[in-house]
Amino acid sequence: MHVLYEDAGKLKAETIFSEADTSLQVESASGKRSKIKRNNVLFTFEQPAPDTLLPSAEALAATLEPDFLWEFAPQEEFEAAALAEDYFGHAPDAVEKTALILALSAAPAYFHRRGRGLYRPAPPDILQAALAAIEKKRLQAEQQQQWTEALVAGQLPEALRGVARTFLDQPDKNSLEWKAFDAAIQQLGASPEKLLLSLGVWPDPLSMMRERFLAAHFPKGTEWPPVAVEPWGEDLPQADVEAYSVDDSSTTEIDDALSVTLPDDDTLCVGIHIAAPALAIPRGSAFDDMARSRMSTVYMPGDKIPMLPRELIAAFSLDEGQWRPALSLYITARRHDGEILATDTRLERIRVTANLRHDRLGGAITAEALADPDAEVPYAHWLRPLWQFAQHLSAARDQVRGKPENNDRVEYSFELDGPADDPDSIIRLIPRQRNAPLERLVAEYMILTNTQWGALLARHGVPGIYRSQQMGRTRMSTQALPHESIAVPQYIWSTSPLRRYVDLINQGQILAAAEHGVSARLVAPFKPKDADLYALIGAFDSQYTLWGEFQSSMERYWCIRWLQQQGLQEVRAHVLRENLVRLACAPLVTRINGLPAFERGQEIMLDILGYDDLGLDIECRLREAL
């Protein structure tokens, strides 16, 4: 004797081995035995053999039309076996009963299951709605298939044109459009980015990367609406100094300038003058909300997205010939050994004599020329004493660190002849030595300022946002902790308030400390243990990292474009570790598969085999070790 029963929603036919009141033990054709509940049994039968029942019943069920069964069946609840006898006109055999059960179960729109072997025909109105839904689904499946076929053939259906740009970052995975696109990806074995580029959704990888970034982080556009900025600092004392700023030619937000006076033969007074936008940006103001929403200016080759409105930048940038409010740090020191004798922080107005540019002066200003009093050096009366004191500052930090600072790496500026969103723009890589005098000079005075102002806040108990490095780990916090690689006892960011929100916040705190001294902690914008200051650290760190990653990806893209524009087929590189190398001619790090084991710093020659503008990489192989 055999049995047809349900197991997890499926029909199974097996031979009865033994029976009990509430269960049966059955044996499959393979000899496997199992125990089933009697409540799951549909019926027992003697013929045919269990392994032929279901195949025969499935073939017969395929000939039974659900709409005819629905018309033939009674309109109340019925048993499948009873309907089989009426339908076939005789006592049904096992195959016929099973076929009818399969046909009823396969047509849920026509028949609602009410229990084991029991069904009820769907009411006419419900049936019509269900059939309409089935037809709609069929048509949608056809449409989806048509779209997929078009995509695979390299054609973008008109219906997908308006949503295709959302497929990478904001796809509606329940939509037919996405399902068609996803199916095309699976068939082609291509990445979503490559398929969209091949379909012309974006004209080139550069446009794709820029537009995705802007859509995700600047959906309302990158330009701030026009704002009105009141004049600031007209009642401040005017500083009687000859100050100069030193920046790249592309810099329009002039945050800092330097001045120097020589009271006597062995004393100098250095002024580090920082733009003071915090005067116009009180905590919680509309300008503060703007700056906080961006946290930093976003940089990329040939373009940038300012943190602050342009009108505000123009009002506070230390542009040459203009009186501007500045937060100044004056350092009085001995010239022969660099010992600092006194410091003073003042809020004042300064007028920068000239905005000097690295790329225009760098070649004329060398360490040798500055050391030779007879050599002609531009702005020598300003540069030589600043350079002399900067060397003392650097030597003092080297002594704390226990070794000289490694400043011999070449960095690059990116200049574009053409729009930043045009991949055909000509890119120029301008090498810059980190240990060049102008670079070192500005860096030393910014380090000095950030160290001194960090100490000022700590001395008066005014909280600030510090950067520390201990045991190789760099982090931001409200604690004045040492920065080991810079070799200073404490360090804050405070010299770029037009470009970084942390510097802007710290400037407000420094202004309070400079004006109110020990009582500053009671009147500063952020009081001790202010929870919002802790929240700012995490928010800034996250967003600043995000902006940096985008800048790095854009610079990497333009490095690859530069290699292509130069037509280079071979390049020199230096091994960093294992298969990782840095090119000697561009700021690009890449991996070379199968690279032999070399010592760090080994110079090698590479053949360039191909470029991947989308993956931001180049394919190279080792030619020889040099």
Side-chain angles (χ1 to χ4, degrees), residues 215-439:
H217 303 290
F218 298 91
K220 296 181 180 180
T222 60
E223 290 293 330
W224 290 117
V227 299
V229 181
E230 298 179 4
W232 280 91
E234 294 182 349
D235 57 340
L236 296 174
Q238 294 182 359
D240 184 18
V241 296
E242 182 181 352
Y244 297 87
S245 66
V246 183
D247 295 280
D248 293 329
S249 291
S250 60
T251 301
T252 57
E253 305 146 303
I254 309 298
D255 283 296
D256 55 87
L258 301 172
S259 67
V260 62
T261 57
L262 305 175
D264 55 55
D265 289 344
D266 193 40
T267 309
L268 84 166
C269 181
V270 176
I272 303 102
H273 312 283
I274 307 301
L279 293 173
I281 311 177
R283 180 181 178 183
S285 66
F287 286 157
D288 183 52
D289 291 342
M290 288 178 170
R292 186 167 181 166
S293 70
R294 294 191 176 180
M295 290 291 183
S296 167
T297 293
V298 184
Y299 293 95
M300 65 199 87
D303 199 6
K304 65 182 175 182
I305 304 171
M307 176 181 74
L308 298 174
R310 297 184 186 278
E311 296 88 348
L312 194 58
I313 294 172
F316 286 91
S317 177
L318 302 182
D319 298 336
E320 61 186 32
Q322 304 297 317
W323 286 103
R324 294 284 189 264
L327 184 60
S328 299
L329 173 66
Y330 288 94
I331 304 289
T332 302
R334 284 203 296 256
R335 297 182 66 179
H336 73 276
D337 62 4
E339 182 183 350
I340 295 176
L341 304 175
T343 65
D344 185 24
T345 297
R346 307 176 199 164
L347 181 61
E348 58 189 5
R349 281 201 298 163
I350 70 163
R351 181 166 59 187
V352 172
T353 303
N355 297 137
L356 307 182
R357 305 297 179 177
H358 285 287
D359 46 320
R360 298 174 189 172
L361 289 175
I365 300 174
T366 63
E368 293 76 17
L370 288 171
D372 182 359
D374 297 324
E376 292 190 9
V377 175
Y379 307 98
H381 69 290
W382 174 76
L383 270 173
R384 279 200 169 102
L386 284 175
W387 174 243
Q388 181 185 20
F389 184 45
Q391 289 180 299
H392 287 307
L393 294 172
S394 178
R397 292 192 301 108
D398 287 347
Q399 186 174 6
V400 172
R401 189 189 299 105
K403 60 181 180 180
E405 189 170 11
N406 182 15
N407 278 326
D408 59 353
R409 197 176 78 200
V410 177
E411 294 185 349
Y412 291 83
S413 298
F414 292 73
E415 291 187 3
L416 284 177
D417 287 340
D421 59 354
D422 184 357
D424 293 326
S425 295
I426 302 301
I427 176 68
R428 293 195 303 274
L429 299 181
I430 312 299
R432 291 170 49 183
Q433 289 286 152
R434 289 185 64 189
N435 61 359
L438 281 178
E439 297 275 359

Side-chain angles (χ1 to χ4, degrees), residues 32 46-47 54 93 185 233 259 298 350 362 386 413-414 453 485 516 567 618:
K32 179 182 177 182
E46 295 184 354
Q47 294 294 334
L54 287 175
D93 58 23
I185 292 172
S259 67
V298 184
I350 70 163
L386 284 175
S413 298
F414 292 73
W453 278 345
S485 66
H516 299 283
I618 59 175

Side-chain angles (χ1 to χ4, degrees), residues 7-289:
D7 181 25
K10 294 183 178 180
L11 293 184
K12 291 186 176 180
E14 296 182 352
T15 300
I16 297 175
F17 183 77
S18 64
E19 296 186 54
D21 291 340
T22 60
S23 63
L24 296 83
Q25 191 173 27
V26 295
E27 185 178 65
S28 67
S30 64
K32 179 182 177 182
R33 295 179 182 177
S34 56
K35 185 178 180 180
I36 65 173
K37 293 182 180 180
R38 189 173 291 278
N39 287 341
N40 293 336
V41 173
L42 291 168
F43 61 84
T44 59
F45 62 97
E46 295 184 354
Q47 294 294 334
D51 57 347
T52 63
L53 174 66
L54 287 175
S56 301
E58 288 169 356
L60 178 58
T63 66
L64 306 180
E65 298 180 0
D67 52 348
F68 179 75
L69 285 175
W70 183 83
E71 294 179 359
F72 180 83
Q75 291 305 298
E76 65 275 359
E77 186 177 295
F78 63 87
E79 187 177 3
L83 181 63
E85 184 170 352
D86 291 342
Y87 183 83
F88 292 106
H90 57 260
D93 58 23
V95 172
E96 291 170 335
K97 285 195 290 186
T98 304
L100 194 66
I101 291 172
L102 291 171
L104 295 174
S105 300
Y110 289 87
F111 300 98
H112 300 165
R113 186 175 175 185
R114 310 299 290 179
R116 179 169 52 88
L118 299 176
Y119 296 86
R120 183 184 181 90
D125 55 338
I126 295 179
L127 175 61
Q128 291 305 312
L131 293 178
I134 291 171
E135 178 63 11
K136 179 181 179 181
K137 189 173 182 179
R138 185 188 67 80
L139 293 174
Q140 289 177 339
E142 289 182 358
Q143 179 67 84
Q144 177 182 321
Q145 181 61 30
Q146 291 172 7
W147 288 341
T148 298
E149 291 173 356
L151 293 170
V152 170
Q155 301 169 358
L156 181 63
E158 189 64 33
L160 274 64
R161 197 171 298 277
V163 296
R165 295 193 177 199
T166 69
F167 288 162
L168 296 181
D169 301 304
Q170 297 175 318
D172 179 1
K173 294 191 175 182
N174 293 319
S175 68
L176 291 181
E177 292 83 356
W178 164 258
K179 292 177 180 178
F181 178 73
D182 188 50
I185 292 172
Q186 304 306 320
Q187 290 187 33
L188 292 171
S191 70
E193 292 85 356
K194 286 187 176 180
L195 178 55
L196 290 170
L197 283 171
S198 70
L199 295 168
V201 175
W202 283 280
D204 51 74
L206 176 62
S207 299
M208 173 187 284
M209 289 185 286
R210 283 176 58 93
E211 290 185 27
R212 288 180 67 188
F213 174 78
L214 295 176
H217 303 290
F218 298 91
K220 296 181 180 180
T222 60
E223 290 293 330
W224 290 117
V227 299
V229 181
E230 298 179 4
W232 280 91
E234 294 182 349
D235 57 340
L236 296 174
Q238 294 182 359
D240 184 18
V241 296
E242 182 181 352
Y244 297 87
S245 66
V246 183
D247 295 280
D248 293 329
S249 291
S250 60
T251 301
T252 57
E253 305 146 303
I254 309 298
D255 283 296
D256 55 87
L258 301 172
S259 67
V260 62
T261 57
L262 305 175
D264 55 55
D265 289 344
D266 193 40
T267 309
L268 84 166
C269 181
V270 176
I272 303 102
H273 312 283
I274 307 301
L279 293 173
I281 311 177
R283 180 181 178 183
S285 66
F287 286 157
D288 183 52
D289 291 342

Side-chain angles (χ1 to χ4, degrees), residues 565-577:
Q565 291 172 4
Q566 298 298 310
L568 297 180
Q569 296 179 332
E570 58 184 46
V571 290
R572 288 187 304 115
H574 295 90
V575 176
L576 297 179
R577 62 177 184 272

